[in-house]
């Protein structure tokens, strides 16, 4: 018994099934059409049957010897070809005109770079451009004007309050360690108590643009009575590593990632110093691509437990600690 479809009843078309029907109309042979579509012949037959049931009319007559279009099939295939062509033009127009997301990772080798690698792996068709402002403080004006879509960093210690027009999302509480030249006395420890740094003056390596990173270091120096051996202006982890190796002083830094020969990284404990990363964007310029990006970042952070605080004692500068407590 043939199902009767009422006039005006909505039918949602699956473009994949339309493509299957067009291929079958071209070949009028299930085996050849399935091979062209690189699917199993049984799958093609099942999908055509499903499409016909959805439409409520047969599109093809078939027996063991041949396949032919019905009058309804002739109409469907004619318009189905136009539908597929229009869909492809729509995709081409959108993808060609879509402005790439402009993402600021501050500098090489940090948490934002890890996230960009994840975005490339999860959404290879998502167009984006990567910038390096060397600091969130330097990226803020471009976020406000819309010249950047997304940036990362610590939202305190910027030298001024974060503009109220910008939105933020916590991304990571990253434990920081100490970068040491080989042979330094602290390399004898698998973990270095933070108080032990008081006996070893530190290299402070910051970019002028990275006010929030410089402020974090100054807060740590004050909180734990640490001393500065040398302050150096510079950009990026590679420059930091080269300066530690050349000058022989320890420096705060991430313990993950590649280290060149001659350097060692040790985690800091008692307490564990944390660096609070946020994603920062202008909500007046959001787009589906940015929303998709923020979702992927949030999911990655959750899956890798980036929001989890250490089980042992930990430290944040007071403004960051207060902000953390206010969100709990």
């Amino acid at each position: 018994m043939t199902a009767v479809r009422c006039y005006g009843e909505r039918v949602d078309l699956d473009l994949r099934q339309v493509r299957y029907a067009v291929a079958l109309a071209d070949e009028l042979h299930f085996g050849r059409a399935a091979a062209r579509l690189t699917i199993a012949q049984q799958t093609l037959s099942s999908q055509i049957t499903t499409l016909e049931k959805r439409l409520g009319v047969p599109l093809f007559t078939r027996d063991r010897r041949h396949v032919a279009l019905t009058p309804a099939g002739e109409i469907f295939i004619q318009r189905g070809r136009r539908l597929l062509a229009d869909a492809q033009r729509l995709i081409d127009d959108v993808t060609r005109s879509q402005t790439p997301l402009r993402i600021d990772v501050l500098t090489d080798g940090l948490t934002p770079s890890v996230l960009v690698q994840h975005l490339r792996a999860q959404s290879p068709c998502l167009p984006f451009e990567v910038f390096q402002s060397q600091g969130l403080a330097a990226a803020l004006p471009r976020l406000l004007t819309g010249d950047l879509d997304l940036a990362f960093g610590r939202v305190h210690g910027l030298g001024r309050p974060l503009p109220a027009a910008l939105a933020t999302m916590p991304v990571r509480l990253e434990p920081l360690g100490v970068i040491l030249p080989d042979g330094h006395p602290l390399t004898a420890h698998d973990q270095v108590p933070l108080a032990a740094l008081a006996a070893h003056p530190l290299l402070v390596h910051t970019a002028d643009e990275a006010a929030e990173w410089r402020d974090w270091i100054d807060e740590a120096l004050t909180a734990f009575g640490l001393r500065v051996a040398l302050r150096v202006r510079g950009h990026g982890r590679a420059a930091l590593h080269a300066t530690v190796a050349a000058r022989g002083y320890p420096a705060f830094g991430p313990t993950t990632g590649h280290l060149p020969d001659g350097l060692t990284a040790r985690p800091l404990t008692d307490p564990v110093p944390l660096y609070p990363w946020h994603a920062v964007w202008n909500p007046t310029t959001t787009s589906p691509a940015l929303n998709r990006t923020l979702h992927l970042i949030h999911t990655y952070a959750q899956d890798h437990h980036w929001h989890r605080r250490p089980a042992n004692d930990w430290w944040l500068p007071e403004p960051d600690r207060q902000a953390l407590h206010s969100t709990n």
Side-chain angles (χ1 to χ4, degrees), residues 35 123 132 239 262 268 323 328:
S123 291
Q132 294 187 0
L268 289 166
N328 291 340

Side-chain angles (χ1 to χ4, degrees), residues 24 27 29-36 39 41 44:
L24 182 57
E27 301 293 341
H29 187 281
F30 275 88
R32 290 194 299 270
R36 170 175 151 184
I39 60 174
Q41 184 172 331
L44 176 59

Side-chain angles (χ1 to χ4, degrees), residues 111-112 115 118-119 136 143 149-156 162-163 165-173 275-283 286 289-302 306-307 323-324 327:
T111 286
L115 293 172
H118 175 66
L119 292 175
L136 178 59
L143 282 172
D149 297 297
L150 181 64
F152 299 91
R154 177 179 172 234
V155 297
H156 295 98
L162 186 76
L166 299 179
T168 67
M169 178 179 71
V171 170
R172 186 180 191 183
L173 291 172
Y275 194 81
W277 288 99
H278 283 72
V280 185
W281 70 97
N282 188 337
T286 52
L290 178 58
N291 291 335
R292 165 71 174 161
T293 298
L294 291 171
H295 173 73
L296 288 171
I297 289 170
H298 177 73
T299 302
Y300 185 88
Q302 291 287 97
W306 273 6
H307 302 104
L324 183 64
T327 59

Side-chain angles (χ1 to χ4, degrees), residues 67-100:
V67 176
L69 283 165
T70 66
E74 295 279 2
I75 296 172
F76 183 88
I77 296 304
Q78 180 184 15
R79 298 187 182 180
R81 292 187 195 278
R82 292 205 300 264
L83 179 62
L84 292 174
D86 286 343
Q88 188 59 54
R89 280 194 294 270
L90 172 62
I91 292 170
D92 290 344
D93 289 345
V94 170
T95 55
R96 287 170 185 167
S97 62
Q98 184 177 356
T99 301

Side-chain angles (χ1 to χ4, degrees), residues 11-307:
V11 178
D12 291 324
L13 282 178
D14 182 335
L15 287 181
R16 179 187 57 174
Q17 292 177 337
V18 176
R19 188 175 296 108
Y20 288 177
V22 168
L24 182 57
D26 288 342
E27 301 293 341
L28 295 178
H29 187 281
F30 275 88
R32 290 194 299 270
R36 170 175 151 184
L37 294 164
T38 65
I39 60 174
Q41 184 172 331
Q42 183 178 1
T43 300
L44 176 59
S45 178
S46 174
Q47 289 295 315
I48 294 297
T49 299
T50 300
L51 175 60
E52 291 175 324
K53 288 181 179 178
R54 179 175 294 173
L55 294 171
V57 294
L59 301 177
F60 299 89
T61 60
R62 55 265 211 193
D63 56 30
R64 293 184 179 181
R65 294 188 176 181
H66 72 280
V67 176
L69 283 165
T70 66
E74 295 279 2
I75 296 172
F76 183 88
I77 296 304
Q78 180 184 15
R79 298 187 182 180
R81 292 187 195 278
R82 292 205 300 264
L83 179 62
L84 292 174
D86 286 343
Q88 188 59 54
R89 280 194 294 270
L90 172 62
I91 292 170
D92 290 344
D93 289 345
V94 170
T95 55
R96 287 170 185 167
S97 62
Q98 184 177 356
T99 301
L101 281 180
R102 292 151 297 187
I103 302 177
D104 194 305
V105 299
L106 303 189
T107 190
D108 60 287
L110 301 179
T111 286
S113 297
V114 174
L115 293 172
V116 163
Q117 292 174 6
H118 175 66
L119 292 175
R120 287 197 175 105
Q122 292 298 309
S123 291
C125 295
L126 177 69
F128 61 84
E129 300 173 350
V130 175
F131 297 84
Q132 294 187 0
S133 67
Q134 308 302 327
L136 178 59
L140 292 181
R142 299 185 67 195
L143 282 172
L144 290 169
T145 60
D147 292 329
L148 277 177
D149 297 297
L150 181 64
F152 299 91
R154 177 179 172 234
V155 297
H156 295 98
L158 296 164
R160 58 174 174 140
L162 186 76
L166 299 179
T168 67
M169 178 179 71
V171 170
R172 186 180 191 183
L173 291 172
E174 182 178 10
L176 292 189
V178 60
I179 310 301
L180 301 162
D182 284 354
H184 192 280
L186 292 177
T187 60
H189 303 272
D190 292 332
Q191 296 181 326
V192 175
L194 208 157
L197 292 182
H200 303 277
L202 297 173
L203 168 72
V204 175
H205 184 279
T206 61
D208 289 340
E209 301 89 339
E212 68 279 9
W213 170 235
R214 185 168 57 251
D215 179 83
W216 186 95
I217 293 176
D218 288 342
E219 290 274 358
L221 294 173
T222 300
F224 300 101
L226 308 181
R227 294 175 293 151
V228 176
L230 183 66
R231 288 184 181 267
V232 176
R233 295 176 179 176
H235 296 150
R237 289 187 70 184
L240 167 65
H241 294 159
T243 308
V244 170
R247 299 302 185 99
Y249 298 115
F252 285 115
T255 58
T256 56
H258 172 73
L259 282 175
D261 292 341
L263 295 182
T264 300
R266 291 287 186 267
L268 289 166
T269 61
D270 306 321
V272 178
L274 302 176
Y275 194 81
W277 288 99
H278 283 72
V280 185
W281 70 97
N282 188 337
T284 64
T285 60
T286 52
S287 65
L290 178 58
N291 291 335
R292 165 71 174 161
T293 298
L294 291 171
H295 173 73
L296 288 171
I297 289 170
H298 177 73
T299 302
Y300 185 88
Q302 291 287 97
D303 290 346
H304 289 78
H305 309 294
W306 273 6
H307 302 104

